[in-house]
């Protein structure tokens, strides 16, 4: 069955409310059908497409209005009207409130809720949502995303002042690309839920020539409550896939945000609750669960028997804790990544350096796809400018970084702010020489608008793959602007090291610059075996850190960095089950 051929049927007023609400839902399905049909098409073709414009000027609510809306949330209580409220979180950081990586405290307080009250209310909201059908759920999800999209500049401000994103990163990863990931999950959810027909007639010939007939129906049943545990780096981009995959498949969704980045997901939950209420559903299908300092609420919720799905992208230790303890839930985990890039040879040396410099500098190396380990043959590489030694390649990369980040204002727009003190500690350790020889020293950057922002240019440390202590260093994740120029004996040894770290530590991206078909072939084989996406010879305005939604798969589920994929069928299929009913039909009919 083609999912785009599925049409909603509004036959039971008890399922979706009064006639007026049913008419509104029918209109909602029609309004979003073209977008959903197109999303279903491109996840099959992998073509380039997005319904959400990347052009910041394309929005009726522009940047100035988005900033005004953001500042209107500061210093206020963020009311949601959820059941079980038993206090507040925030507004000060000591009370669980947020502080912008660019300096100021946000001063927002959030309601705190007792799970004993909140979770039963969410569970009670599921049946009507479940029974509304695939088309209605998809349309409601698309409406939530459309309303979030209309406020993209406000969401970008929230991303910048909780995660330290630079302006472009905030608008893309914090807003429109996160929305793309959400819609992609909805499209996969529709495809999987419509793979089986709702009804079927089965017949088998009998010895007397008449058929034996069974009429069959297939009903979708969600698992229960899906828990989305947010992170501080990309709360929306990492949170929306699980949020919308669970919601579109009939589950309730509880969002437990990271204490340093509550606002982006709180805004999302508020919009979702508004849309659900307006379309006749119980708003408690979607709830927010901020935590008090030291409460460890994620552990309490993740192991609750009502929580049947957990989505988490963050640290490896907490991912391991979830595997051990959250046994009642289906887990979708993404954890630490150690990404490598081989520099073997190039016919465009300066273009390579410029592309690589931007890839290292973007969002201060805090992207989960940033290339941490730069693997360079110790005898140097052939280029269009002649042979370059290991030291020359590293020095020239430092020069490219210096040119890119020479002006503090321009550097701030590329780097953004460090998301937390632990990131600064890593940069300082790299600069001290404790990890190895500092090859490119970091420097402090003063933001022209936010002088209290903590911003550093990349630190590059020279290591040798043949030294055990250096191998141990490069085998750990160093999130932030800390990179290693690693001397390897040959391209083959570099490929082996790349594959080994991906298999053992996990990787979300791998890259290479090479003019050798044999090296390309070996890289493709190694990356396919290790389960990591490979980017070859990127130049110009496309970088190894970028991921094209609806086309690229983020993660493979084949190495420790990602046990699930944004987005494939496995990401959504286990969030619901299908139950069959067989009815005996009259002989011969």
């Amino acid at each position: 069955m083609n999912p785009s051929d599925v049409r909603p049927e509004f036959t039971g007023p008890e399922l979706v409310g009064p006639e007026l609400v049913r008419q509104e839902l029918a209109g909602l399905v029609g309004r979003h059908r073209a977008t959903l049909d197109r999303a279903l098409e491109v996840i099959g073709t992998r073509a380039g497409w997005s319904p959400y414009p990347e052009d910041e000027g394309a929005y009726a609510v522009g940047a100035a209005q988005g900033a005004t809306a953001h500042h209107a949330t500061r210093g206020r209580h963020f009311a949601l009207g959820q059941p079980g409220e038993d206090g507040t979180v925030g507004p000060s950081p000591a009370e669980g409130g947020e502080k912008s990586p660019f300096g100021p405290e946000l001063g927002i307080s959030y309601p705190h809720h007792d799970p004993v009250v909140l979770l039963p209310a969410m569970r009670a909201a599921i049946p009507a949502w479940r029974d509304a059908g695939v088309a209605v759920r998809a349309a409601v999800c698309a409406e939530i995303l459309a309303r979030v999209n209309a406020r993209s500049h406000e969401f970008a401000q929230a991303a910048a002042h909780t995660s330290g994103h630079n302006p472009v990163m905030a608008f893309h990863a914090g807003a429109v690309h996160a929305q793309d990931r959400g819609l992609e999950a909805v499209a996969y959810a529709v495809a999987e839920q419509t793979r089986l027909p709702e009804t079927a007639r089965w017949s088998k010939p009998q010895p007397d020539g008449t058929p034996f007939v069974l009429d069959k129906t297939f009903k979708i049943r969600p698992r229960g409550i899906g828990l989305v545990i947010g992170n501080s780096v990309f709360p929306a981009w990492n949170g929306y896939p699980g949020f919308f995959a669970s919601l579109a498949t009939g589950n309730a969704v509880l969002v437990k945000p990271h204490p340093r980045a509550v606002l982006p997901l709180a805004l999302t939950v508020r919009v979702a609750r508004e849309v659900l209420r307006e379309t006749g559903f119980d708003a408690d299908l979607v709830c927010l669960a901020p935590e008090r300092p030291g409460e460890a609420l994620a552990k309490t919720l993740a192991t609750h028997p009502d929580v049947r799905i957990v989505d988490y992208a963050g640290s490896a230790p907490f991912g391991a804790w979830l595997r051990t303890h959250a046994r009642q839930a289906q887990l979708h985990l993404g954890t630490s990544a150690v990404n490598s890039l081989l520099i073997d040879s190039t016919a465009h040396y300066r273009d390579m350096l410029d592309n690589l410099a931007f890839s290292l500098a973007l969002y201060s190396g805090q992207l989960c796809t940033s290339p941490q380990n730069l693997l360079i043959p110790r005898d140097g590489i052939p280029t269009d400018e002649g042979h370059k030694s290991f030291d020359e390649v590293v020095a020239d990369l430092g020069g490219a970084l210096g040119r890119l980040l020479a002006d503090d204002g321009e550097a701030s727009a590329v780097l953004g702010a460090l998301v937390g003190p632990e990131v600064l500690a890593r940069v300082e350790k790299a600069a001290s020489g404790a990890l190895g020889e500092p090859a490119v020293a970091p420097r402090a950057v003063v933001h022209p608008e936010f002088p209290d922002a903590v911003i550093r240019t990349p630190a590059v440390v020279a290591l040798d793959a043949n030294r055990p202590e250096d191998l141990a260093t490069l085998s750990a994740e160093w999130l932030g602007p800390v990179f290693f120029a690693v001397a390897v004996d040959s391209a083959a040894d570099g490929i082996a090291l790349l594959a080994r770290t991906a298999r053992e530590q996990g990787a979300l991206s791998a890259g290479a610059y090479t003019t050798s078909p044999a090296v390309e072939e070996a890289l493709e084989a190694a990356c396919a075996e290790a389960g990591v996406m490979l980017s070859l010879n990127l130049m110009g305005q496309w970088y190894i850190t970028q991921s094209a939604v609806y086309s690229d798969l983020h993660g493979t589920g084949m190495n420790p960095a990602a046990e699930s994929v944004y987005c494939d069928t496995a990401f959504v299929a286990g969030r619901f089950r299908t139950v069959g009913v067989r009815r005996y039909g009259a002989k011969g009919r």
Side-chain angles (χ1 to χ4, degrees):
M1 174 178 287
N2 185 343
S4 64
D5 291 335
V6 174
R7 296 294 183 264
E9 294 184 2
F10 304 97
T11 56
E14 73 281 3
L15 299 186
V16 293
E19 178 66 27
L20 186 62
V21 175
R22 291 207 310 276
Q23 291 174 4
E24 171 61 24
L25 285 172
L28 195 67
V29 172
R31 192 183 320 149
H32 293 292
R33 182 173 299 285
T35 298
L36 289 165
D37 282 350
R38 180 67 172 140
L40 281 160
E41 178 185 346
V42 295
I43 63 173
T45 65
R46 320 309 289 184
W49 173 78
S50 171
Y52 310 123
E54 289 185 336
D55 179 5
E56 296 181 22
Y59 291 82
V61 179
Q65 293 162 296
T68 299
H70 168 70
H71 284 281
T73 65
R74 292 192 181 185
R76 302 183 67 178
H77 182 66
F78 198 98
L80 287 167
Q82 299 175 175
E85 186 171 341
D86 62 359
T88 60
V89 175
S92 72
E95 299 167 295
E98 299 143 300
K99 180 179 180 180
S100 169
F102 291 101
E105 293 183 10
L106 301 191
I108 303 171
S109 64
Y110 298 93
H112 184 274
H113 302 86
D114 182 355
V116 173
V117 178
L118 188 63
L119 291 170
M122 296 184 70
R123 193 173 64 241
I126 292 175
W129 178 244
R130 173 198 69 202
D131 294 341
V134 176
V136 170
R137 289 197 298 271
V140 172
C141 288
E143 178 66 16
I144 295 169
L145 285 163
R147 294 196 193 182
V148 169
N149 176 251
R151 296 167 59 180
S152 287
H153 283 285
E154 180 185 355
F155 276 76
Q157 288 282 325
H161 288 290
T162 54
S163 299
H165 294 175
N166 64 54
V168 174
M169 179 69 66
F171 191 79
H172 286 178
V176 295
H177 292 168
Q179 297 153 21
D180 278 323
R181 281 295 181 204
L183 186 66
E184 178 188 45
V186 174
Y188 273 99
V190 171
E192 288 307 299
Q193 290 175 101
T194 54
R195 191 171 297 281
L196 294 179
E198 291 184 4
T199 63
R201 172 162 290 183
W202 180 90
S203 65
K204 181 178 181 179
Q206 301 299 298
D208 62 1
T210 61
F212 181 84
V213 177
L214 291 177
D215 290 324
K216 302 185 179 186
T217 60
F218 300 95
K219 294 182 181 296
I220 289 172
R221 288 296 178 264
R223 293 180 68 91
I225 296 174
L227 174 66
V228 175
I229 303 174
N231 61 37
S232 62
V233 182
F234 289 106
W237 198 92
N238 282 124
Y240 280 17
F243 181 103
F244 285 99
S246 285
L247 194 61
T249 50
N251 302 279
V253 177
L254 179 59
V255 178
K256 206 299 292 181
H258 191 284
R260 290 202 300 244
V262 180
L263 185 58
L265 293 175
L267 289 168
T268 305
V269 167
R270 177 182 276 175
V271 172
R273 289 175 64 83
E274 289 171 355
V275 172
L276 288 164
R277 191 178 296 112
E278 290 174 19
T279 51
F281 296 103
D282 191 332
D284 292 337
L285 276 165
V286 175
C287 291
L288 186 78
E291 66 179 323
R292 298 182 177 118
E295 185 179 8
L297 183 58
K299 291 183 176 181
T300 300
L301 295 174
T303 53
H304 194 283
D306 285 345
V307 171
R308 304 304 305 279
I309 306 164
V310 175
D311 287 273
Y312 171 71
S315 72
F318 189 65
W321 187 94
L322 287 169
R323 288 187 206 98
T324 301
H325 295 91
R327 299 192 175 191
Q328 86 293 346
Q330 181 188 66
L331 303 180
H332 294 275
L333 304 180
T335 57
S336 306
V338 179
N339 305 315
S340 302
L341 185 146
L342 173 68
I343 304 176
D344 167 68
S345 55
T346 180
H348 306 279
Y349 187 59
R350 296 297 159 181
D351 289 341
M352 177 194 78
L353 292 172
D354 289 343
N355 187 280
L356 188 52
F358 191 86
S359 297
L360 302 189
L362 185 61
Y363 187 36
S364 303
Q366 295 169 124
L367 288 148
C368 59
T369 49
S370 295
Q372 174 181 293
N373 298 332
L374 310 178
L375 312 177
I376 308 168
R378 67 180 73 253
D379 292 333
I381 65 170
T383 78
D384 54 315
E385 297 184 8
H387 185 84
K388 298 288 184 179
S389 69
F390 176 93
D391 290 340
E392 286 176 314
V393 173
V394 177
D396 290 344
L397 176 59
L401 284 165
R403 291 189 297 274
L404 175 66
L405 306 173
D407 176 79
D408 275 9
E410 293 180 4
S412 299
V414 175
L415 295 167
L418 301 187
V419 74
E422 68 279 4
V423 183
L424 177 61
R426 295 185 197 113
V427 179
E428 292 175 341
K429 188 170 185 178
S432 73
L435 303 178
E437 180 186 351
V440 178
R443 72 176 183 87
V445 172
V446 179
H447 196 288
E449 186 179 353
F450 302 103
D452 293 333
V454 179
I455 306 174
R456 296 292 186 273
T457 62
V460 181
V461 177
L463 299 180
D464 192 317
N466 290 338
R467 286 199 293 262
E469 62 272 24
D470 287 0
L471 191 60
T473 298
L474 65 88
S475 295
E477 183 188 42
W478 293 79
L479 182 71
V482 176
F483 304 95
F484 302 113
V486 183
V488 295
D489 290 337
S490 64
D493 288 325
I495 294 169
L497 180 56
L498 180 155
R500 175 182 165 185
T501 54
R503 285 194 310 270
E504 296 179 359
Q505 310 302 322
L508 288 170
S509 69
Y513 289 95
T514 182
T515 58
S516 166
V519 170
E520 278 198 22
E521 184 178 355
L523 277 162
E524 286 190 48
C527 288
E529 188 67 22
V532 57
M533 184 174 71
L534 173 64
S535 299
L536 291 166
N537 298 315
L538 296 185
M539 306 283 179
Q541 301 299 308
W542 194 260
Y543 307 97
I544 188 174
T545 52
Q546 292 174 285
S547 180
V549 188
Y550 312 105
S551 184
D552 291 330
L553 296 170
H554 180 73
T556 64
M558 294 174 63
N559 68 63
E563 295 177 7
S564 58
V565 180
Y566 303 159
C567 193
D568 64 0
T569 58
F571 187 70
V572 299
R575 296 172 193 263
F576 68 94
R577 288 291 183 259
T578 305
V579 181
V581 176
R582 303 181 297 182
R583 290 181 175 86
Y584 177 68
K587 259 191 172 185
R589 68 174 184 173

